[in-house]
Each structure stands twice: as C-alpha cells, then as structure tokens.
Amino acid sequence: MKISYNWLKQYVALDLSPEAAGKILTDTGLEVEGIQKIEAVKGGLEGVVVGEVLTCEQHPDADRLKVTTVTIGTETLQIVCGAPNVAIGQKVIVATVGCTLYPTPDEPFKIKKSKIRGVESEGMLCAEDELGLGKGHDGILVLDANVSVGTPAASYFELEDDYTIEIGLTPNRADAMGHIGVARDLIAYLNVHKKLGLALSMPAVDAFRIEGNDLKINIAIENAELCLRYTGTSIKGVKIDTSPAWLQKRLRAIGIAPINNVVDVTNFVMHELGTPLHAFDAAQVNGKIVVKNAKNGDLFTTLDEVERKLDDSNLMITNGTDHLCIAGVFGGINSGIKDTTTDVFLESAYFHPVSVRKTAKMHGLNTDASFRFERGVDPNLTAYALKRAALLIQEVAGGMISMEVFDSNEKPLKNKTVEFSYTRCNKLIGAELSKDMINSILSNLDIHLLSVNGDTALLEIPAYRVDVTREADVVEEVLRIYGFNNVPIPTKLNTSLSYMKKPDSEKVQHTISEMLVGLGCVETLNNSLTKSEYAVKLGGDVMTDERNVRLLNPLSQDLDVMRQSLLFNALETVEHNQNRQNADLKLFEFGKVYHKYESYQENKRLMITLTGDKERENWNSTKDKNKTKTSYFTAKGIALTVFNRLGLGDMFKEKSLKNSLFQDGIQLFILKDKVGEIGWVSEKMKKHFGIKQDVFVVDLDWDAVLESLKFTKIVYKEIPKTFAVRRDFSLLIDTQTNFSEIEEIARKCDNKLLKEVGLFDVYEGENLEAGKKSYAVSFKFQDTENTLKDQQIDVIMDKIRVQLETTLNAQLR
C-alpha cells in the first residue's frame, strides 16, 4: 500500500524526515518496504534561476533572434533568444549551462554553451512548456518585477516534492488502509515516546447541508446480513471535468491515475479514510436502489468490459431490475460516471467481509474496494465518509445535495470489550512497563479504560480495530507502540540456539568462500604485516607513507607496517607460485587493511586475483590461446557472481576508474556506495614483483558489501504466463564506449517490460572506420501477465535507438 508523505501531513503536524517517519512506522508494525522521492517537476529545476534582462539587441545574422545580456545575481550571461516578447527590464526564468530540463518526462534537454548563428549563448530564457510546467509556448515567462534576481525557480514556483512510502500492510491491519489510519500510529508513537501531545486532524464535515429533495432515491436493503450498513445521498447539477491539480497530485503520488473529478474524489476519500465509496450516474439508477443477491446465471458486464456470470451468493447493487454494481467489489460499465453525467448518487456502505472476499475470488477480481472490504472497514465511518466525499464533489464539480442522507443502520456498532491484566501484559512483553505508560499507549490508540480494579482493567476496543478481540491482541498493541526493539535481550537465553547479529558476517563469508572454491579459486591467508616501501614506491596517490600504521617494535624492515591493501600480498603469492611453475592461479583472500588518517581505521576486504589460463589443459579444451587466458571479463564475471549470490546483482553499477592502484578498470557501486574495484595490474607493478603475465584483480570493500545487505530482500515471483520477445541491434559505436553505457540507456528508456540486455558479438577490425567497433546487442522483453504486441516493442526499441544515437553517437548497421 502506498502512502503520500505530504498527504499524511494533512492529518498530523509532522516535523520528521520521510526516512524517520518510515522507521517509526516499521517499528510500530507497518513495515516500510521503500521510500521514493517524487519531484513536482522532473529534475527539480536544478540550475534554473530568476534573471533580469539588461540589454536586448537584434541578432546580426537572424531576423527572429535577439541577443540579450541577463544578470542572475552571481554573473551576467549573454543569451540568444528567439522569443518575440523578450525585452529590457524583464524578470525572466534562466536555465544556466549544465542544467537539464524535461519538457516531457522522457526527453531530457541539457543546456550547453553554444554558438547560434555565430553568436555565443550561455543559457536559455525559458517558456512554460520548456520547464515542464505547462503547454504554453507563445513566449518566455515574464515574472513580477518585484521578484529577486537569483531566486531558484523551484522556490519561485513553490514546487513541492513528495515522497511515496510503500507499506507492506499485513491482513490484520485493516485500520491502516488509509492515510488517517497511518497517521494515527505515528501520533501514538510520538505522543508516547516524545510527549508531543499531537492530535489527529480529521477533515471537517460541518458544512454538509441538504439543499433540496428533488433527486430522491428510494433505497431498499433485501439482505441486511451481507449489507450491514448502507448510506447514500444524491448530488444534482455536477459538472464532470478533470480534477484540480491538488487532487491529481495526491492521487498520482500513490500511483493512481486521475479519471475525472467525481471518481477522483471517491478514490481520494477511500485512500484518506480507508472507506471505499461508489458514485453512480443517477440517470441509470432510475430513482431506486435495491441491495440484493443476484440470481444464478445472471450476466453482468463490469467496468473492464468483461461479461461475468453471477450466482445467488453475489450481493449486487441494483435499480430493482438491472444490476449496477457488484457490492464492495466492482462497478458496472453502464452505471458509472461519464462525461455527460450531471446527477450523481453517492454510496458509502459496510458489506460483510467474507461475502466480499468470496465474490471477488469467484470472479478473479482484486480491487482497491474489495481489498478493504474483505479485511473489514470501520462501520461507524460510513456516514462521515459519505459527507466528506459529498462536500469534496461540491468543491471540485459543483452541484447541490438533493436528498436526505439514507442510513440503513444509524446506530453505531457496539464496541467490543476486553479484560486486561497489567501483570500479564508485562510478562508477555518481557519488560516492566508502568501502568501510566500502558494507559498512555492505550489512550493514544483509542482504546478506552471503562474501569480499573487493581491489576485488571476493562477496555473498550474501537470498531475499526477488527483484529483486536483478546487480551493478547491488546498486549501486542502495547508492545508495538512501546517498541519491539526496546524490549531488553536477556543476559541468559534458555535455549541452545545462539543469538547472531543479522546479517551473520561469518555465515555470509563462509557462503561466498564455498562459492569461490566451487569456481576453482583457492583461499589464501597472508600476514597483515608488510613492508613500508610498497606504499612509497607503488602506492602513488592512493597509498602514502603517512597513512602507514607503523609498528613500534618491528621484527624486520620487511614487516614494519600494517598493510594498506591486500594487493601486494596477492602479488607476492603470484610471484611465489610463478617461480615454482604454477602460473595459472585463481586466488581469493578475506582480510583486513589498516590506515592512519586523523584516527586509526581498519577495514575488511575481499580480494580475488586471477592470472594465467582459465582452466587446465585437457583434451576437450579450446586450442585458441586467446580464449583460454583469464581476462578482465573473467574477473568481472566472478565479481558479478558474488553480488548475485548475495542478492545485490540488481543494485550493481559500474563507473570508470579514478585514482587507483590498478592501471585501468572500473569502480563498483551498490546503489550510491562504492564497494570495490576491478582492474589489472600495471606494468610497473608487475616488473617490481617479477611477474611475466597479466594479473586481474577484484578488490571488494567487504564491510561495505555487508552493509549493503540491508537493502536486499527475498522476493518470490510467479513464473511468467507469457513468452519473452527478443529484439537485436547491430551497432557501430566509438571504441571507448562500454556495453554498460548501452545497458544503462536501454534500462532508462524502459524498466518495466525490458528484462535483459545482452552483448552477443563484438567486432573490431577490417571494414570499420578508425575509432569504431561493432556491438551486437540483444534486448529481451516480457510482460508476466499479457502477451506483448509488436507495436509496444517497436515504441521502446525506437526510443532506445534514438537515445543511443543521441547520447553515444551510435549507428544502426
């Protein structure tokens, strides 16, 4: 379930970062699976500022261009502009050199210093569409004269970035199926632990007024066992249109595409309160609503244009003769809101969870409404939700409320009571909580104390907490707000199992060691003491003598410092084996390195060293010596295998090597954190050790790799129901272009259907122009649910082609 952080702040005065709020939610049982930033405008208008036009003269070689000088506060720029409305003294929006604009989300436009018809231009004066703020392109944006020069455009336009918080909602937490339910948990935690005295800010519905009775809908409930509460009202004279920007922004932040103002309001209120609603075109209702079971064999076409066969267990919303909606599950194709709708009947109900679940399962449907109804919504919130939605519809679509609210069960559902023992609560939790602490937690969770008799209390549970029915459930509520992590670990565990910190570093190291041995590698263990001259003669800028951790009483000059890298030990091992006719080596070592900065630091690393032939000579091995030798790509393959084994393969990224002990290679990153390097040893270093063949090395920061494991999760996916589609490109590219650049561009063009990018042929040589090489690249597409069409693939492939041509100067062969 997705929650918008800005939306959440409408109901609780939060002064927390999204990450801090996410941690609190996870601690209280609403596990946050991810937090994603949503920019109001892609790129956030970084590098775009307010400027003032100082001069404006005709371009010497173009009738429609002007040459302007513009101050942005810190400097004055010369900018060539083609807008007809540019003039001296205007306050304008300036995109400076180096910034990237997104006129459309998928088409970035980088501002570069250039010459236009022979005149140098150092930026761009922007129109509305060029900033991605609208469609206007009649001329540049001209701002109010009082705006300060140098003001960032993002501040001027009051762009509000949002964060989507993805919550792995468990089935028992029906109370948290809306933003208000999530806010309730945050308030409870902050009030108990931070003593902030926060209160839930519920939207007011006092303005709800009946303005007439000329669109009365007669409502009858024939099956009150399955429809426990039904409320409804009508709104006359609405105007169907697109929703206002604020409403669209809220819905898009949680992944819902806006439809129209009325439907968007029902979706908004559902995700606000957790209570589903449905809006009908009143013209299709024909003045009557009957809630009853379908007959066996009835046919009904739902909004997805699928004709479904009903049976007598399906509860339906009808107009007495025609089915309008599968109650609590899905609307009908004919009764929904259309562009021509002028009158609306609005429904808010509480349907039996078991009935909704069985009906949804029978028809293979899983909708936002059924997701909530089958878990159990708050029956006492239906009338409130109806009024809230009606007021919002009036706000965004106009109209008058034209009938008294119908409520089939105006009596609030009786709350459950539970007997509770404070002593038993502490015993189950494993910590001593004071009565005041427990009472504070219960109060903040809307669990009321009806009476207290010594150690026992009688508690009233709110109706929306459908999962709290026993004393143990109440104890769980106390514990999750108190904090699972606050329960002390006993010094003595009455078990034979040992407590291990996760991830278990020793177990992970053992797993990788076994895997590397299975790949033909041999584990080595070298002395942590080494000679200081390595840093002096071979360390370059990476290792210096000042960073050596020196021994006070060294055994010899060859063992006078702690090692700064595992590399020199590895090369000593290669030299030792090479001199004994064992030149084909695959070595790995886990070990610590030591540095002296402002303080002493140690860091665990994994180094994999490859040299010589990939495999021993045998009768069925290839005779081509170029193919039998280990290479950079052999090392990279092993590194990727390590990351895949740890579940980090999808997070693996590479960048060009800078400031390294290696002659050349790449840097390795997991997300934004550098975790190592792959490269080959320089000729100078090989000469120092007397090594006669190439040596390829993977140097991993093992501590950083272990730290990255916190981002991994085991995810199970169904086997795809459809076949994959493969397309190939034969590309002519510059010799310095890497495959990783091609893959990165492809994945930026599409990260939903594109599953694999592969390189299956490389050619450099005759019939190619100098500085060029040929790559044959495969692209594998798959939709796990639907069979892909050629048109879908063609659009993506064309986008990839354009980006490759634009970014890498690639040519299709």
Side-chain angles (χ1 to χ4, degrees):
M1 186 185 77
K2 293 181 178 179
I3 294 294
S4 158
Y5 185 63
N6 287 342
W7 190 349
L8 192 66
K9 291 194 290 185
Q10 289 183 212
Y11 314 111
V12 52
L14 285 179
D15 188 20
L16 298 171
S17 68
E19 290 75 19
K23 185 179 185 305
I24 291 173
L25 291 174
T26 298
D27 288 346
T28 58
L30 297 177
E31 183 181 1
V32 173
E33 297 177 338
I35 299 175
Q36 181 182 1
K37 185 176 181 180
I38 302 173
E39 294 177 322
V41 172
K42 191 169 182 180
L45 297 186
E46 188 173 347
V48 184
V49 297
V50 174
E52 182 177 356
V53 180
L54 301 178
T55 66
C56 179
E57 298 176 356
Q58 186 65 44
H59 191 290
D61 196 29
D63 293 339
R64 296 187 178 183
L65 297 178
K66 302 285 179 61
V67 180
T68 68
T69 54
V70 181
T71 177
I72 58 172
T74 55
E75 58 181 318
T76 300
L77 307 173
Q78 178 174 283
I79 298 175
V80 177
C81 179
N85 63 327
V86 62
I88 295 173
Q90 290 175 337
K91 297 290 179 65
V92 293
I93 297 294
V94 182
T96 59
V97 171
C99 77
T100 302
L101 301 180
Y102 292 84
T104 60
D106 299 325
E107 296 181 9
F109 177 67
K110 188 167 184 178
I111 304 300
K112 299 178 181 178
K113 191 173 183 179
S114 61
K115 282 191 175 182
I116 302 175
R117 290 289 189 91
V119 177
E120 194 171 78
S121 184
E122 302 172 300
M124 185 171 81
L125 306 185
C126 301
E128 185 181 73
D129 63 334
E130 292 164 337
L131 296 170
L133 296 174
K135 297 181 180 179
H137 195 72
D138 296 335
I140 59 171
L141 284 171
V142 179
L143 312 181
D144 188 278
N146 297 322
V147 181
S148 298
V149 171
T151 301
S155 299
Y156 174 78
F157 291 113
E158 298 180 349
L159 297 183
E160 181 187 47
D161 291 340
D162 199 356
Y163 293 83
T164 298
I165 302 174
E166 183 88 32
I167 294 175
L169 194 67
T170 52
N172 63 311
R173 291 303 307 276
D175 62 298
M177 293 189 296
H179 283 70
I180 280 179
V182 174
R184 195 183 283 121
D185 265 17
L186 279 172
I187 289 170
Y189 183 93
L190 293 170
N191 283 348
V192 169
H193 293 279
K194 306 295 184 183
K195 312 297 182 187
L196 297 182
L198 299 173
L200 185 65
S201 178
M202 293 288 286
V205 294
D206 300 341
F208 183 86
R209 297 284 185 275
I210 309 300
E211 299 169 276
N213 202 26
D214 50 348
L215 188 58
K216 185 177 180 181
I217 309 295
N218 296 310
I219 301 172
I221 313 298
E222 291 189 5
N223 190 338
E225 291 183 0
L226 300 185
C227 180
L228 301 169
R229 188 174 185 186
Y230 192 93
T231 63
T233 191
S234 64
I235 307 170
K236 188 175 182 180
V238 301
K239 182 181 179 182
I240 305 302
D241 202 347
T242 56
S243 295
W246 70 265
L247 182 51
Q248 293 191 44
K249 186 187 296 184
R250 290 288 181 253
L251 295 178
R252 286 198 175 101
I254 57 172
I256 295 177
I259 298 172
N260 61 55
N261 46 8
V262 171
V263 174
D264 290 350
V265 164
T266 61
N267 283 328
F268 176 86
V269 174
M270 175 173 63
H271 287 275
E272 176 182 58
L273 303 176
T275 300
L277 301 101
H278 194 77
F280 298 89
D281 186 334
Q284 300 299 318
V285 171
N286 292 332
K288 189 176 185 180
I289 287 286
V290 180
V291 183
K292 63 180 181 178
N293 288 71
K295 294 178 181 178
N296 284 325
D298 281 357
L299 297 177
F300 178 62
T301 303
T302 45
L303 277 168
D304 56 359
E305 300 182 1
V306 174
E307 187 176 68
R308 304 180 187 276
K309 190 175 182 180
L310 309 175
D311 71 16
D312 59 6
S313 68
N314 299 154
L315 187 68
M316 304 295 294
I317 311 299
T318 76
N319 61 9
T321 54
D322 301 323
H323 295 306
L324 304 176
C325 177
I326 304 176
V329 181
F330 209 19
I333 193 168
N334 295 319
S335 61
I337 303 300
K338 309 175 188 65
D339 292 343
T340 55
T341 298
T342 56
D343 300 331
V344 172
F345 173 71
L346 188 62
E347 162 197 288
S348 177
Y350 175 54
F351 302 112
H352 198 287
V354 175
S355 170
V356 172
R357 180 180 61 81
K358 287 182 176 179
T359 300
K361 188 175 181 181
M362 171 186 170
H363 294 291
L365 292 169
N366 182 21
T367 63
D368 281 341
S370 67
F371 174 84
R372 287 162 173 77
F373 277 124
E374 63 193 31
R375 284 161 173 75
V377 300
D378 186 355
N380 293 332
L381 206 61
T382 52
Y384 174 87
L386 183 81
K387 292 177 180 178
R388 168 69 168 154
L391 288 170
L392 284 175
I393 289 173
Q394 285 186 296
E395 178 184 331
V396 302
M400 297 186 300
I401 298 170
S402 300
M403 69 171 274
E404 293 288 342
V405 173
F406 172 86
D407 193 339
S408 67
N409 187 2
E410 293 186 13
K411 270 188 177 179
L413 191 72
K414 189 175 180 181
N415 292 333
K416 301 180 291 289
T417 58
V418 171
E419 286 193 359
F420 174 80
S421 165
Y422 293 96
T423 301
R424 200 155 41 243
C425 174
N426 285 334
K427 186 175 181 181
L428 286 173
I429 289 175
E432 286 297 320
L433 278 67
S434 67
K435 277 189 177 182
D436 288 342
M437 167 69 82
I438 294 173
N439 289 342
S440 173
I441 292 172
L442 295 175
S443 174
N444 277 285
L445 291 173
D446 289 344
I447 298 175
H448 302 300
L449 275 72
L450 296 179
S451 63
V452 179
N453 184 11
D455 182 61
T456 304
L458 184 63
L459 306 178
E460 182 183 39
I461 312 299
Y464 62 80
R465 289 312 306 266
V466 295
D467 59 319
V468 181
T469 58
R470 312 169 294 165
E471 181 185 49
D473 298 329
V474 177
V475 173
E476 183 183 354
E477 291 301 294
V478 172
L479 175 56
R480 69 182 186 84
I481 299 301
Y482 174 70
F484 292 92
N485 295 330
N486 292 328
V487 177
I489 302 295
T491 54
K492 179 183 177 183
L493 297 174
N494 297 319
T495 177
S496 59
L497 299 175
S498 59
Y499 174 77
M500 300 295 293
K501 188 173 74 171
K502 301 296 182 182
D504 184 344
S505 59
E506 294 299 322
K507 184 177 179 180
V508 174
Q509 180 175 325
H510 182 71
T511 299
I512 297 303
S513 296
E514 286 193 328
M515 187 198 76
L516 290 173
V517 169
L519 293 172
C521 299
V522 176
E523 185 170 10
T524 62
L525 183 63
N526 288 292
N527 196 336
S528 295
L529 303 179
T530 188
K531 56 179 74 174
S532 56
E533 73 171 20
Y534 284 151
V536 176
K537 292 183 178 181
L538 303 173
D541 295 330
V542 181
M543 291 170 51
T544 62
D545 193 45
E546 291 76 23
R547 294 176 188 167
N548 275 324
V549 178
R550 297 188 173 276
L551 273 65
L552 294 176
N553 298 298
L555 296 174
S556 70
Q557 291 300 313
D558 289 340
L559 299 171
D560 61 337
V561 295
M562 306 290 283
R563 61 187 176 187
Q564 292 190 50
S565 171
L566 303 183
L567 178 60
F568 304 123
N569 289 137
L571 294 178
E572 287 174 347
T573 305
V574 171
E575 177 195 20
H576 180 84
N577 281 269
Q578 173 194 271
N579 293 340
R580 287 157 183 79
Q581 297 182 333
N582 185 23
D584 305 325
L585 299 171
K586 294 180 180 177
L587 311 173
F588 74 93
E589 179 181 6
F590 286 94
K592 290 190 175 181
V593 297
Y594 308 86
H595 297 88
K596 180 184 178 183
Y597 297 108
E598 293 182 1
S599 60
Y600 292 102
Q601 295 182 11
E602 64 180 68
N603 170 228
K604 192 167 188 177
R605 304 190 78 84
L606 165 61
M607 181 161 284
I608 304 167
T609 308
L610 310 175
T611 186
D613 290 339
K614 286 189 281 190
E615 56 186 34
R616 289 183 178 179
E617 184 179 14
N618 58 68
W619 66 271
N620 67 345
S621 62
T622 179
K623 305 305 178 186
D624 187 345
K625 283 295 182 183
N626 291 325
K627 293 183 179 179
T628 62
K629 294 292 184 183
T630 55
S631 67
Y632 159 79
F633 296 101
T634 311
K636 184 178 179 182
I638 292 177
L640 191 55
T641 303
V642 171
F643 288 132
N644 285 334
R645 182 64 183 85
L646 295 172
L648 298 169
D650 292 340
M651 306 178 198
F652 168 84
K653 293 182 181 179
E654 59 184 73
K655 294 182 181 179
S656 58
L657 194 61
K658 296 178 181 178
N659 197 25
S660 171
L661 290 174
F662 302 137
Q663 180 173 314
D664 202 356
I666 60 171
Q667 300 178 80
L668 306 177
F669 287 80
I670 298 296
L671 299 180
K672 295 183 179 180
D673 298 321
K674 182 179 177 180
V675 295
E677 298 176 348
I678 304 175
W680 52 93
V681 175
S682 67
E683 291 297 325
K684 177 183 177 182
M685 211 171 281
K686 286 195 296 180
K687 183 178 179 180
H688 181 89
F689 288 94
I691 297 172
K692 301 177 180 67
Q693 57 193 15
D694 290 335
V695 181
F696 302 92
V697 179
V698 178
D699 182 15
L700 298 181
D701 182 343
W702 191 245
D703 290 337
V705 171
L706 290 177
E707 183 68 14
S708 299
L709 291 180
K710 66 184 179 182
F711 301 114
T712 64
K713 288 188 178 181
I714 296 174
V715 179
Y716 298 92
K717 296 180 180 178
E718 289 186 11
I719 296 174
K721 301 175 184 177
T722 59
F723 292 104
V725 178
R726 172 173 163 162
R727 296 286 180 87
D728 297 340
F729 272 165
S730 180
L731 298 169
L732 186 65
I733 56 177
D734 297 335
T735 52
Q736 68 269 23
T737 300
N738 296 321
F739 168 70
S740 60
E741 296 174 80
I742 297 173
E743 183 180 15
E744 182 179 2
I745 288 171
R747 294 199 180 279
K748 282 182 179 179
C749 290
D750 182 84
N751 60 5
K752 183 178 179 183
L753 300 180
L754 181 60
K755 302 302 181 185
E756 293 180 15
V757 184
L759 177 64
F760 63 89
D761 189 50
V762 178
Y763 176 75
E764 292 184 67
E766 295 180 4
N767 301 323
L768 292 181
E769 60 185 277
K772 296 290 184 180
K773 62 183 176 181
S774 174
Y775 270 11
V777 183
S778 63
F779 304 88
K780 182 179 176 183
F781 300 90
Q782 190 170 34
D783 187 330
T784 57
E785 295 295 332
N786 303 307
T787 301
L788 290 173
K789 297 179 180 179
D790 285 341
Q791 297 91 321
Q792 292 175 271
I793 307 302
D794 290 342
V795 170
I796 299 172
M797 290 297 291
D798 191 59
K799 188 183 295 184
I800 293 172
R801 176 186 61 77
V802 170
Q803 288 301 312
L804 290 174
E805 291 174 348
T806 304
T807 309
L808 301 180
N809 195 28
Q811 302 173 39
L812 283 184
R813 299 191 70 197

